[in-house]
Amino acid sequence: MRLRALLETDALGLRLLGGEDELDRTVRGVMTTDLRDPSRYLSGGELVLTGLAWRRDAGDSEPFVRILAGAGVAGLAAGEAELGDIPADLVEACVQHRLPLFAVNETVAFATITEHVVRQVSGERAGDLAAVVDRHRRLMTSGPAGGGPEVVLDLLTSDLDLRAWVLSPTGRQIAGAGAPLAGQLGAVLAGHHLAATRTGRRGPYRAAVAGTTYSLFPIRNTGRGAVPAARDVRESVLSDWLLAVEADASDWPAARLDLLQGVTQLIAVERDRRDAARTVRRRLAQEVLELVQAGAAPAEIAARLRVAAPVLLPGLGVAPQWQVVVARVDWTDGDAAGPAGVPGDIAGGPVAQALLEEILVDPAVSGPDSADRIAVAHTGEEAIALVPLPAVPAPLPETVGHPTDNADNAAGAAEGPAEDSVPQDPALHADALLASVREPLSAGLADDGRLTLGVSAAVHSAEGLRGALEEARHARRVAAARPGRVCAAGHHELASHVLLLPFVPDDVRRAFTARLLDPLRDYDRRHRAELIETLEAFLDCDGSWTRCAARLHLHVNTLRYRVGRIEQLTGRDLSRLEDKLDFFLALRMS
């Protein structure tokens, strides 16, 4: 399509500010950005949409326009929502570089322009993509007549024989054509995508898993309600969706690649709609959080919870229990792909907020709206989730007043009465939250990022929310003291020795463990005696000779010989509780 055609469409609300002699340029695509240097994402012929967040002063306009002109873009459209009138320095820069400039009325969403351009360009480019675009309206609707992203993916399967799935950054399936991805395949593909994104390469990315080749296309948020385009890849790597196609796109013709890029833009519109729907839940969480942190009266907090409950638990009235989950994403001074930036400039709160909204979704649940009962706010560098829990009509005696302490207890509750009227305890557990997402998120965090998460116990009233928030924050600090890229801790760990161990000074830790364990390690290296393994098993079996020997597949006499050697080398007596405790702590701190 031609730039001139955009002015002839009243619904787009475009006003020409300069470049009338260049309106016959061909538009081959559309891109939304607020990067100061978006050149790596440009291939030429795009209509670039910008909200001007990259502009700090008049001197920024000419370099930005020069980069666009050098990349061969067709034109620039600037939104009036943030600054009102388009700055004169931007108009002058576009005249200097002969780049057509449009003003976008504040009442027109960038998603509307994106949809129009994709429809027009796709219709002229390929009949296959025209079929997809003709049905784009169904993507934008909800309910029985809609179908969401599945509509587009079904067309890819029926018309082009391409199987494709839309995945979250954790690998959860948001949409798909045909059978869902098996097992952990979604998480594996998400891990490949996140790792490739961190390198700064342009998609699609190629991934071979179990003899099958997949092409992974990034789906980036494009709407006006979206977070401004990232200056650093780390700002968005943990929140972007991806399109996984069961095919090798490395040898595809340009027309086929253009087709899939157009599909990702259509799906991005659905992402925009989903994020807009989350605004209400985020606002509710922020309001409650501000009241809790300000020490407001419980009655005032309870009133806000009564407003939030129908939104988060529709049809169930006021939630009888609430849990608080705190998450934080920290970046170190590693080399980041993309434009240079100081890690401290990365706003960790929004990153953790988007990530926590995904983590709190049951990984077995598909669909873009499956997080409609999660309210997450962010303050400073941390994200805080307010999670409502449905009532459990008949809790087991050992769980009254307390959620189950771990996933095993939750599983045990499931072995109780089978009636539908007695559901499982719905409480969240720290380890279970990260079990299915640890690997892909570790790939996105790479060598310079960490995710730490803390989970509170359930509380039954507004009075308990402040304590739950502090409990979740304390648990997160315990998780932060542990090694690893992705760590979590729950409230039950705050009443255990594991609370104390992470805060033992490093020099004390090293001295204590060296005194007890170094003699055993040296002996193991020289004689391959496995004394450390024997000690761990002996303590795990509570000093039972028969159980420990069975676990290690040893004769009891052999076990007694090894324990005797441990006592001889360390000068300790494993029949004494104090010495057992010292060995136990040394092993935990090593």
Side-chain angles (χ1 to χ4, degrees), residues 232-588:
D232 189 309
V233 69
R234 292 172 293 183
E235 293 184 8
S236 60
V237 65
L238 299 177
S239 58
D240 285 341
W241 288 357
L242 67 137
L243 176 67
V245 181
E246 189 179 304
D248 187 351
S250 60
D251 58 354
W252 280 4
R256 179 61 62 90
L257 286 173
D258 287 346
L259 186 153
L260 266 296
Q261 294 293 354
V263 169
T264 64
Q265 290 182 335
L266 298 183
I267 297 172
V269 176
E270 169 67 14
R271 173 67 186 271
D272 296 341
R273 185 191 66 79
R274 193 286 307 262
D275 283 351
R278 281 186 170 179
T279 302
V280 173
R281 296 189 294 277
R282 287 177 171 178
R283 186 181 300 117
L284 287 172
Q286 193 71 42
E287 291 174 354
V288 174
L289 174 63
E290 289 174 356
L291 290 174
V292 170
Q293 294 190 126
E300 186 177 0
I301 299 175
R304 297 308 302 161
L305 290 178
R306 283 193 293 273
V307 174
V311 176
L312 300 178
L313 288 174
L316 297 183
V318 176
Q321 298 185 80
W322 300 87
Q323 271 184 288
V324 176
V325 182
V326 173
R328 180 175 175 131
V329 175
D330 293 291
W331 304 100
T332 58
D333 292 330
D335 292 332
V342 179
D345 290 342
I346 300 175
V351 175
Q353 180 183 44
L355 188 55
L356 190 53
E357 286 172 333
E358 174 59 32
I359 291 174
L360 290 174
V361 179
D362 184 344
V365 176
S366 62
D369 292 324
S370 52
D372 61 354
R373 295 186 178 184
I374 297 167
V376 185
H378 71 82
T379 175
E381 294 300 305
E382 66 182 9
I384 302 170
L386 184 65
V387 183
L389 302 178
V392 180
L396 296 176
E398 61 269 25
T399 64
V400 173
H402 301 280
T404 52
D405 285 344
N406 51 50
D408 292 338
N409 288 348
E415 296 175 1
E419 290 83 356
D420 292 339
S421 60
V422 185
Q424 281 186 272
D425 177 10
L428 301 174
H429 308 287
D431 290 339
L433 284 177
L434 296 182
S436 62
V437 302
R438 183 173 276 109
E439 290 188 14
L441 292 183
S442 296
L445 292 164
D447 295 328
D448 58 350
R450 288 199 74 206
L451 166 67
T452 51
L453 184 147
V455 181
S456 79
V459 295
H460 300 265
S461 64
E463 290 89 340
L465 277 181
R466 185 175 180 83
L469 175 58
E470 292 306 315
E471 189 174 58
R473 282 175 166 161
H474 201 162
R476 193 207 63 79
R477 288 193 288 269
V478 170
R482 296 171 175 168
R485 290 291 166 199
V486 180
C487 298
H491 61 91
H492 61 282
E493 298 182 62
L494 303 184
S496 167
H497 69 277
V498 297
L499 171 63
L500 303 177
L501 294 184
F503 301 101
V504 176
D506 288 343
D507 55 344
V508 176
R509 181 193 302 261
R510 285 191 294 268
F512 184 77
T513 57
R515 187 177 301 114
L516 282 175
L517 302 183
D518 279 2
L520 306 183
R521 291 174 177 142
D522 292 341
Y523 190 88
D524 282 347
R525 280 194 294 269
R526 294 196 307 269
H527 303 282
R528 298 182 180 178
E530 299 180 350
L531 295 184
I532 292 290
E533 179 185 352
T534 301
L535 176 62
E536 290 177 333
F538 187 73
L539 294 176
D540 284 345
C541 293
D542 298 323
S544 169
W545 297 98
T546 54
R547 283 195 288 125
C548 184
R551 175 184 292 190
L552 296 175
H553 305 290
L554 297 175
H555 192 277
V556 172
N557 289 341
T558 302
L559 175 61
R560 291 184 183 277
Y561 172 80
R562 288 189 182 180
V563 170
R565 180 64 67 184
I566 292 171
E567 294 175 334
Q568 179 186 10
L569 291 171
T570 61
R572 300 300 185 105
D573 182 355
L574 278 169
S575 66
R576 298 179 68 247
L577 176 61
E578 293 86 350
D579 287 342
K580 286 180 181 177
L581 179 58
D582 285 346
F583 278 121
F584 175 81
L585 293 175
L587 289 169
R588 290 297 183 273

